[in-house]
């Protein structure tokens, strides 16, 4: 989420996801500090491209707080964001799952803010007017 709901769509929530900001060793002075989101305006940030639901969610959340960030890099995938962050090219914003391994092994750390970004939902979106493929039906059974 967010996902716009067309009357033809069935949306099923699968699980919650957490958006986080991560940083590498060049930004160690931020580790453990309770930050305000305004801090991000002064830092080089790395985000997904604007046409993604994750980026729209982030921008909307920050805009509601009066904050507009201009990312140093806008990348196509979260994996790329993690790799750029590992190389200290900026502060990355990703869904926690993409950074978890790197956080656990200490290559990056999660920035802490006075207020956490609200969780959102990972969903399965289906077009009710079109038949589902055999593979799609099987995947829905598994989920």
């Amino acid at each position: 989420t967010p996902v716009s709901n067309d009357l033809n769509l069935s949306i099923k929530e699968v699980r919650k996801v957490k958006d986080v900001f991560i940083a590498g060793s060049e930004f160690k002075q931020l580790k453990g500090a309770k930050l305000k989101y305004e801090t991000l305006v002064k830092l080089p940030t790395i985000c997904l491209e604007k046409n993604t639901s994750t980026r729209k969610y982030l921008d909307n959340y920050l805009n509601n707080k009066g904050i507009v960030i201009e990312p140093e890099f806008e990348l196509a995938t979260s994996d790329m964001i993690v790799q750029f962050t590992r190389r200290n090219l900026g502060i990355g914003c990703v869904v926690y799952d993409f950074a978890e391994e790197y956080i656990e092994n200490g290559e990056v750390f999660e920035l802490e803010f006075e207020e956490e970004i609200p969780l959102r939902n990972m969903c399965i979106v289906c077009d009710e007017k079109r038949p589902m493929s055999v593979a799609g039906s099987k995947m829905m059974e598994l989920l």
Side-chain angles (χ1 to χ4, degrees):
T1 55
V3 61
S4 59
N5 191 357
D6 183 311
L7 296 176
N8 300 328
L9 301 178
S10 163
I11 300 173
K12 180 179 179 183
E13 294 177 359
V14 177
R15 73 185 205 44
K16 300 282 186 193
V17 292
K18 178 182 175 185
D19 296 287
V20 296
F21 285 91
I22 58 172
S25 60
E26 287 291 316
F27 300 93
K28 64 184 173 205
Q29 74 277 10
L30 301 174
K31 191 171 187 172
K34 286 283 186 187
L35 304 170
K36 293 181 181 282
Y37 286 107
E38 291 86 358
T39 306
L40 295 171
V41 174
K42 302 173 197 159
L43 297 168
T45 54
I46 309 168
C47 297
L48 286 172
E49 295 170 338
K50 285 192 178 206
N51 62 344
T52 64
S53 62
T54 296
R55 177 64 185 278
K56 289 175 187 172
Y57 185 74
L58 172 68
D59 285 347
N60 186 51
Y61 177 74
L62 293 175
N63 288 343
N64 285 338
K65 296 185 168 305
I67 301 163
V68 177
I69 58 172
E70 297 293 333
E72 193 78 21
F73 298 100
E74 293 180 326
L75 303 175
T77 69
S78 294
D79 289 327
M80 290 173 63
I81 293 173
V82 173
Q83 296 309 315
F84 274 51
T85 303
R86 286 179 60 221
R87 288 165 179 76
N88 291 302
L89 297 173
I91 305 296
C93 183
V94 294
V95 169
Y96 180 83
D97 299 29
F98 288 99
E100 182 175 19
E101 172 187 340
Y102 300 97
I103 292 170
E104 287 178 0
N105 71 23
E107 290 185 62
V108 299
F109 61 93
E110 181 180 346
L111 295 180
E112 297 176 40
F113 290 90
E114 293 176 351
E115 182 182 338
E116 286 192 12
I117 299 172
L119 299 177
R120 50 193 183 107
N121 293 297
M122 182 181 293
C123 301
I124 296 175
V125 180
C126 300
D127 186 340
E128 294 291 324
K129 292 189 176 183
R130 295 182 187 200
M132 192 174 295
S133 69
V134 174
S137 296
K138 185 65 176 173
M139 185 178 91
M140 290 297 287
E141 284 177 32
L142 294 170
L143 293 172

